[in-house]
Amino acid sequence: MIRLTDVGKTFRDTPVLKNLSLHIAARDRVALVGSNGAGKTTLIRCLLGEYGHSGEVRVAGRDPRIDRALVLNKIGFVPQLPPPLAMPVAELVRYASGVSGADPMRVRQVAARLGLAWGEVAARPFVKLSGGQKQKLLIAIALGRDTEVLILDEPAANLDVEARHALFALLAERDQTAMIISSHRLDEVASLVNRVIELDQGQVVLDDRVEDHLEMTGFLAAELTVGRHEPAFAKMMDEWGFAAADALVWRGRVAGPDRLRFLCMVSRYAGLINGLHLDGGET
């Protein structure tokens, strides 16, 4: 589906990609990780046909620089930074759908699943939306049509817990699609993927297959016991949708793909927690 062969890219005499070669097949869900400056964004821009480069890039057998319109029609893309667009949301959805041949109603349906209230945002300029609203709309535009490739750059940034759950379910439905999910933190995306590729200084330093016994639509029941009441911890648990059984016991559920992120968040309060139990397999 995606093939890069000896791809190089230099900016002002500084090599950013160094003879990079990769093959990503349909149904591969790749976590593209690495520190800032590792080359992740440059690789994505090459796939989108935005940058010239040495070597060869092919998406579904086509060169993104030569056949850019055809390639982009096969890709759903969520950028890390939302574009500063002043057009109203409804107009933006009509425009994006018209360019890609998508059904605007399908985009709105995906947006609704993510928790975006259409009536509240349709007439507002995109640039005036909150960070979470912008992210939900960009995801809806990318996932509101059939594509062979999804490229998601920090897709869960600015999303609330329920929107994250909806995103996981939407990605699970695209089981025939090749995905590249870029992040500078593996814990944010590890449970969404079946392959991890790490870049460092423009080269692949890790390419490994990973397996997960829990489906992306599965949940784990969780119970935490704490030694004392702590307002900051209580606020975090509220944000995750947990309820206090009493002053010292919290119960809720965590989406399977979110469990590593949840544990990382909870670890900040390690000195407060007396007990933690996760029971897997809910759907």
Side-chain angles (χ1 to χ4, degrees), residues 50-259:
E50 296 182 8
Y51 290 161
H53 53 79
S54 60
E56 184 177 85
V57 175
R58 294 290 182 269
V59 178
R62 294 185 177 275
D63 185 328
R65 294 286 290 175
I66 296 173
D67 300 314
R68 192 172 182 208
L70 290 172
V71 169
L72 291 181
N73 200 45
K74 298 177 181 294
I75 296 176
F77 175 53
V78 178
Q80 179 181 7
L81 299 176
L85 300 174
M87 70 173 66
V89 167
E91 183 180 339
L92 174 60
V93 169
R94 284 195 298 270
Y95 173 78
S97 300
V99 169
S100 63
D103 180 354
M105 185 55 65
R106 186 175 170 189
V107 174
R108 289 176 56 176
Q109 290 169 348
V110 174
R113 289 180 62 179
L114 292 164
L116 187 65
W118 185 256
E120 296 178 7
V121 302
R124 294 177 59 191
F126 176 80
V127 73
K128 296 295 185 180
L129 302 184
S130 70
Q133 290 171 329
K134 290 175 182 176
Q135 191 73 357
K136 291 173 183 178
L137 187 64
L138 292 173
I139 292 171
I141 290 172
L143 272 63
R145 62 189 181 95
D146 295 324
T147 59
E148 297 178 35
V149 177
L150 284 173
I151 300 176
L152 313 175
D153 199 350
E154 304 283 1
N158 298 313
L159 293 185
D160 55 80
V161 172
E162 291 305 315
R164 289 173 68 90
H165 293 176
L167 173 62
F168 302 151
L170 287 162
L171 294 180
E173 294 167 8
R174 304 292 286 267
D175 60 348
Q176 301 297 315
T177 304
M179 299 183 194
I180 298 176
I181 304 176
S182 177
S183 179
H184 68 285
R185 290 181 54 182
L186 181 57
D187 64 284
E188 289 283 341
V189 296
S191 298
L192 296 174
V193 302
N194 55 26
R195 184 178 173 189
V196 176
I197 295 173
E198 182 178 0
L199 298 186
D200 185 37
Q201 298 184 21
Q203 296 178 307
V204 176
V205 295
L206 173 71
D207 186 351
D208 201 9
R209 294 279 174 178
V210 295
E211 297 293 338
D212 195 344
H213 71 280
L214 192 62
E215 296 291 334
M216 282 206 290
T217 53
F219 286 86
L220 299 103
E223 180 177 291
L224 292 92
T225 305
V226 296
R228 66 181 187 277
H229 175 71
E230 173 60 54
F233 179 80
K235 180 181 178 182
M236 184 192 76
M237 300 303 343
D238 284 337
E239 291 172 350
W240 278 85
F242 276 58
D246 58 46
L248 302 179
V249 178
W250 291 83
R251 294 193 181 103
R253 63 178 195 164
V254 179
D258 241 356
R259 65 191 184 279

